[in-house]
Amino acid sequence: MGNTEARDGAAGPANNGKSFTGGAAEKIVRLELDIQKERMGKLIGTGGKTIRDIQQRAPNINFRTPGKDDTGGNEYKFVPVILSGRAQDVFKAAALVDEVATACLA
């Protein structure tokens, strides 16, 4: 079903060597959403406006979207959009992405 990966907030490659301060270590999750290729334009928006709006509404999320050359030509109908960060932030961002471009969990 969904491709979700959780990691402790300890320093390391999963979070670019940064550690989180505070009480208990926060879980960092990675969620991969499969977006219909023809909806990527809608997700990005004119001049990137829509994706910037989502990033402002979920600022603690790392978004990774494929470039135009990475969409597999006509070979694939879906392309991956990867969200990573704290669990509650990732799922908030996923809901925002889903509002714009219906997503299927990878």
Side-chain angles (χ1 to χ4, degrees):
M1 197 168 201
N3 186 0
T4 306
E5 182 179 303
R7 295 196 169 109
D8 287 332
N15 51 21
N16 300 323
K18 297 178 184 175
S19 61
F20 295 97
T21 57
E26 295 191 39
K27 295 290 185 184
I28 301 300
V29 298
R30 177 183 175 273
L31 180 66
E32 182 174 317
L33 303 173
D34 279 346
I35 305 294
Q36 291 178 344
K37 189 178 356 181
E38 61 267 8
R39 297 201 179 247
M40 281 302 294
K42 186 174 183 178
L43 176 61
I44 302 300
T46 304
K49 182 183 181 321
T50 305
I51 195 73
R52 278 195 312 272
D53 180 52
I54 292 172
Q55 289 171 325
Q56 287 174 352
R57 293 172 66 190
N60 299 319
I61 295 300
N62 179 18
F63 281 85
R64 199 165 76 203
T65 58
K68 286 186 178 184
D69 296 336
D70 298 332
T71 58
N74 291 326
E75 187 176 345
Y76 303 110
K77 288 186 173 189
F78 294 90
V79 293
V81 172
I82 300 170
L83 310 173
S84 60
R86 294 181 313 161
Q88 66 267 25
D89 296 332
V90 167
F91 292 113
K92 176 183 177 181
L96 295 170
V97 168
D98 192 54
E99 286 178 14
V100 176
T102 303
C104 298
L105 293 176

